[in-house]
Amino acid sequence: MKKILILLLMMAPLSLFAQSQKFGFVNAAEVMQQMPEFSKAQTELQTLQKQYADEFDRMRSELEKKGAEFEQLKDSLPANILQRRQTELQDLYARMQQYEQESYNNLQQAQQAKIAEVSKVLSDAIQAVGRDGGYVCVFDIASGIPYISETLCEDVTPKVKTKLGLTGVQK
């Protein structure tokens, strides 16, 4: 009996400690959509994508033009010139395919870098809100957590928005 009483006395402070802990949650995706850094990154990525698309269109136009010229003249060209023009068209087509793949890869890398920059700013704000508010954990509900009790956790999304200067921004 004495052991049970001692165990209960030792457990009481632990249960009080557990009840005083604060947990929060944030919708990081919602906050990120409202960040000016995110909008700027999206605009820069769209501009980069357009530049790649314009260059690809220029290359395709050049290939089509040279292909049409080749078709018109192929019957009248000597064999050695015919062979050289065919090789030029094949090389141009290969460069075009390589450019398409490289531009896709470059765009993906740029997108990852831009999102990483924005995510870092957001993560820093969430951590600051967590530290300032004395939270044990701040969960991101946008990351697919199946359940978070809204009665036992506090929604810190507004605090994160305030930390980022997004207080007047609507969804």
Side-chain angles (χ1 to χ4, degrees), residues 130-145:
R131 272 191 310 276
D132 296 347
Y135 295 93
V136 173
C137 294
V138 176
F139 301 99
D140 179 9
I141 61 173
S143 67
I145 295 175

Side-chain angles (χ1 to χ4, degrees), residues 2 28 31 37 40 42 45 67 72-73 76 78 85 94 97 102 104 111 116 118 122 132 135 137 144 153 157 161 165:
K2 190 174 182 182
V31 175
E37 296 90 341
K40 180 182 176 203
Q42 291 294 96
L45 289 169
Q72 285 180 339
L73 300 174
S76 64
R85 296 256 177 111
Q97 287 181 317
E102 287 174 357
Y104 175 79
Q111 184 176 18
V118 175
L122 177 57
D132 296 347
Y135 295 93
C137 294
C153 292
T157 303
K161 288 180 180 180

Side-chain angles (χ1 to χ4, degrees), residues 70-128:
F70 176 77
E71 285 298 319
Q72 285 180 339
L73 300 174
K74 74 178 181 179
D75 293 333
S76 64
L77 294 174
N80 63 337
I81 295 176
L82 182 67
Q83 180 63 36
R84 186 171 51 90
R85 296 256 177 111
Q86 283 176 331
T87 303
E88 285 175 8
L89 287 172
Q90 290 169 345
D91 289 346
L92 184 56
Y93 182 72
R95 281 196 321 263
M96 195 170 87
Q97 287 181 317
Q98 181 181 3
Y99 177 79
E100 182 179 34
Q101 185 61 45
E102 287 174 357
S103 62
Y104 175 79
N105 291 340
N106 291 343
L107 192 59
Q108 292 297 315
Q109 289 173 352
Q111 184 176 18
Q112 289 171 356
K114 297 284 183 194
I115 294 302
E117 291 171 12
V118 175
S119 293
K120 173 76 171 105
V121 171
L122 177 57
S123 178
D124 290 348
I126 292 170
Q127 289 176 23

Side-chain angles (χ1 to χ4, degrees), residues 28-53:
E30 175 188 325
V31 175
M32 186 179 284
Q33 293 289 326
Q34 296 177 4
M35 293 174 64
E37 296 90 341
F38 181 76
S39 298
K40 180 182 176 203
Q42 291 294 96
T43 301
E44 290 172 0
L45 289 169
Q46 289 170 352
T47 301
L48 184 60
Q49 183 177 15
K50 182 168 178 5
Q51 289 171 345
Y52 286 137

